[in-house]
Amino acid sequence: MKNAVFVAYSNHYPPISPSLFSLRVLLSLAVLAVAGVANSQTAHLVHGVTLVTGGQQGYLGVDANGNLYTVSNSAIGLKQSIRQLPYSETPIGSGLSDARGVVVDNSGNVYIADFGNNRVVKVPLTASGYGTQTTVGTGLNAPRGIAVDMSGNVYIADSANRVLKETLSGGTYAQSTIGSGFSATYGLAVDNSGNVYIVDAGSSTVYKETPSGSNYTQTTVGTGLSDPLAVAVDQSGNLYIADFGNNRILMETLNAGAYTQSVVLTSVTTPTIAVDGNGNIFASDISGNPSLSIQPGGVDFFRTSTGSSSLKGTLTFSFDSAGSVGGSSVFTKGEAGQDFADAGTGTCTTNGSSKLYSAGDTCTVDVVFSPKYTGNRVGATVLTDASGKRIATAYLYGQGVGPQITFLPDKVTTLLTRTSPILSLDVDDSGNLYLADTGNHQILEEKPTGSSYAETGVDSGLFNSFSVAVDGGGSVYFPDPGTNQVFKETPSGSGFIQTVVPVMNAYRGTAYVAVDPSGNVYISLSNGGSIVKETLSGETYTESAVATIGNIAAMSVDSVGNVYLTDQDTGSVVKETLSAGGYTQSTVALAATTSAVAVDGTGPSTSRTRTKAFSKKVLRPPDTRRASS
């Protein structure tokens, strides 16, 4: 799809007839009746593995927003904003010598285990950047493991085989010892409950130290380890172990106080591991290759220059039920053969359609990212069965990097004019427009045919069609306030298969919808002005709250999960910034009337509404996923 901004205009909100509304309610009940009926054969994404290029390789850490921090034999550490445009690298610390660990606290302060200088340094984050570094603790002997808890207390594993706790109080630290009997302490982690996880490579054991009054109770986690070197813990208390001697990464899943072990990745030799706020795992590779990113949800290919290709990323699928793979397809916002492509080397492809998989078996799809344009790009990998039905979808995204210049004067081309109001549109990578035709209570698809468009209906009989969004696989989402539901239309052959995105408080009125690169759906509820997020895992959704705004007129979401809202009461554009699983609210812009918001790779833009759709050509295309309302 060529570089363009697409805008919808409308200036009135027509009513719907009672008979049409009654018909829509009956149709919605029918959809609900079949929405829970699954395809007899299903599979799901286990994880995608991609490579993080740039910066320096070495021991790594990650903050809640997915920024990567690395230390090595360099005199400085490095922060890499790997998920944002423009990409940046920020030096952190000074005078380091063979640093062996780096962590970040909730305030953004960075702690580095400075092995060669027998110290731990703290580099504070201030309003103007990173401040003057200080030291934490005394009497250290070549520290090689470090962790920090939610209160700012620092945990240090040093070469004297001790684990020290530096308890923060009033700006100073008090030192104490945790556990005993260790023979070679390396990696450390601490969870939200204050449990401390200690890697003892000498005994090939991971110890868990559980707070008990002023002391700790020691237990072990994991079996079959060989020379483990690092450990990390996620928001749910699940543990990840770099099992160095066995060339693998393990996951210990916590459930009702007990752990279940599974293998995350094999054929990887890593001395360090970290996990971000979304459960994405980062691991270094001692062979000098780029760091690995292991992602259980949407698969991020990070930055790639336009006109070039990324290193291959591997997606692993697991079969929930027996069957074969009729085919695997890779799309860029619904279009094949664009930015994301199947490398053809994965086992889902090479095993062929005659291969019969049992439940629990896995196969892989190898994907290459070759962005044609700059900015955020979204896509999906789809597995189908022998009949062509979708059995699994994995969402993909990445950032195209290149020149970003706007030609002046801008060329504006009217694409189509309608007599009925268009309150929202989105566009796929083929240039097909999807319109919320409010005047006729329907969702339309407009396919370019030469100098005009061919119109087909996606759905009709809606109470009011305020919003429409398209995901990386070409599925179309729209709310129906009359039935308090959000519908998902998944491409199938020449048409769509309709399902319902469940909303717990749907009785409050579904008004606007957006979808992020990972397939998570964001829904505004008109009664009460709240926003909910439906987080996708496999084929199911888990609901959580995002924010409450007075009078929401439009909504958009960027590539890292930040949500942008327009408030008609104040004329403001509000940003809900995602961090550590929660949101922080700020105001981006103020205007007399703001009824639309869209986000590209560099931030939001806003508009008012009329009755035309037009395109505006630019060299750097925006993220047209969300040209809403």
Side-chain angles (χ1 to χ4, degrees), residues 100 115 118 139-145 155-165 176-188 198-205 207 209 218 227-229:
R100 299 289 182 90
F115 181 88
N118 298 310
L140 302 181
N141 184 348
R144 53 196 179 193
Y155 303 79
I156 304 166
D158 72 2
S159 296
N161 302 321
R162 301 175 299 171
V163 175
L164 304 174
K165 179 179 180 181
S176 59
T177 301
I178 298 176
S180 61
F182 307 122
S183 55
T185 53
Y186 275 82
L188 288 177
I198 303 164
V199 174
D200 184 14
S203 63
S204 291
T205 303
Y207 292 98
E209 300 282 352
Q218 187 179 92
D227 197 19
L229 293 183

Side-chain angles (χ1 to χ4, degrees), residues 315-338:
L315 283 61
T316 300
F317 293 88
S318 177
F319 290 84
D320 305 315
S321 53
S324 60
V325 175
S328 61
S329 303
V330 178
F331 301 101
T332 304
K333 203 163 189 187
E335 176 71 4
Q338 298 298 314

Side-chain angles (χ1 to χ4, degrees), residues 50-54 57 68 80 82 282 289-293 302:
T50 57
L51 301 176
V52 184
T53 58
Q57 307 306 318
L68 193 64
Q80 299 169 247
I82 58 175
F282 294 83
N289 293 323
S291 299
L292 301 171
S293 176
F302 305 104

Side-chain angles (χ1 to χ4, degrees), residues 411-488:
K411 182 179 180 181
V412 178
T413 304
T414 299
L415 301 179
L416 54 91
T417 301
R418 299 183 59 82
T419 57
S420 58
I422 305 168
L423 284 191
S424 175
L425 66 80
D426 205 344
V427 59
D428 66 21
D429 218 63
S430 300
N432 301 318
L433 299 176
Y434 296 86
L435 309 178
D437 180 6
T438 306
N440 294 307
H441 316 290
Q442 61 185 340
I443 302 296
L444 299 175
E445 179 183 17
E446 301 279 355
K447 293 186 177 183
T449 56
S451 59
S452 61
Y453 282 81
E455 181 176 290
T456 56
V458 177
D459 200 359
S460 60
L462 304 174
F463 177 78
N464 262 326
S465 47
F466 291 145
S467 177
V468 64
V470 182
D471 70 18
S475 295
V476 183
Y477 302 77
F478 52 91
D480 181 20
T483 59
N484 297 323
Q485 295 180 82
V486 172
F487 294 97
K488 177 181 179 180

Side-chain angles (χ1 to χ4, degrees), residues 261-461:
Q261 186 180 95
S262 59
V263 177
V264 174
L265 195 64
T266 59
S267 302
V268 57
T269 306
T270 177
T272 178
I273 191 170
V275 59
D276 70 13
N278 294 319
N280 300 311
I281 306 163
F282 294 83
S284 64
D285 188 325
I286 63 169
S287 62
N289 293 323
S291 299
L292 301 171
S293 176
I294 307 164
Q295 304 166 67
V299 183
D300 192 349
F301 282 75
F302 305 104
R303 302 165 57 252
T304 299
S305 296
T306 55
S308 63
S309 298
S310 70
L311 297 172
K312 181 176 63 179
T314 299
L315 283 61
T316 300
F317 293 88
S318 177
F319 290 84
D320 305 315
S321 53
S324 60
V325 175
S328 61
S329 303
V330 178
F331 301 101
T332 304
K333 203 163 189 187
E335 176 71 4
Q338 298 298 314
D339 296 40
F340 297 96
D342 191 339
T345 54
T347 57
C348 297
T349 304
T350 60
N351 285 342
S353 58
S354 62
K355 167 72 173 179
L356 181 63
Y357 297 92
S358 300
D361 286 349
T362 62
C363 71
T364 61
V365 177
D366 292 335
V367 176
V368 174
F369 176 46
S370 306
K372 293 177 171 57
Y373 308 108
T374 58
N376 296 318
R377 312 298 291 162
V378 295
T381 296
V382 174
L383 296 187
T384 56
D385 64 14
S387 67
K389 293 181 180 179
R390 292 191 180 201
I391 60 173
T393 300
Y395 290 95
L396 316 171
Y397 56 105
Q399 300 166 341
V401 181
Q404 301 184 9
I405 302 171
T406 301
F407 290 111
L408 296 176
D410 296 337
K411 182 179 180 181
V412 178
T413 304
T414 299
L415 301 179
L416 54 91
T417 301
R418 299 183 59 82
T419 57
S420 58
I422 305 168
L423 284 191
S424 175
L425 66 80
D426 205 344
V427 59
D428 66 21
D429 218 63
S430 300
N432 301 318
L433 299 176
Y434 296 86
L435 309 178
D437 180 6
T438 306
N440 294 307
H441 316 290
Q442 61 185 340
I443 302 296
L444 299 175
E445 179 183 17
E446 301 279 355
K447 293 186 177 183
T449 56
S451 59
S452 61
Y453 282 81
E455 181 176 290
T456 56
V458 177
D459 200 359
S460 60

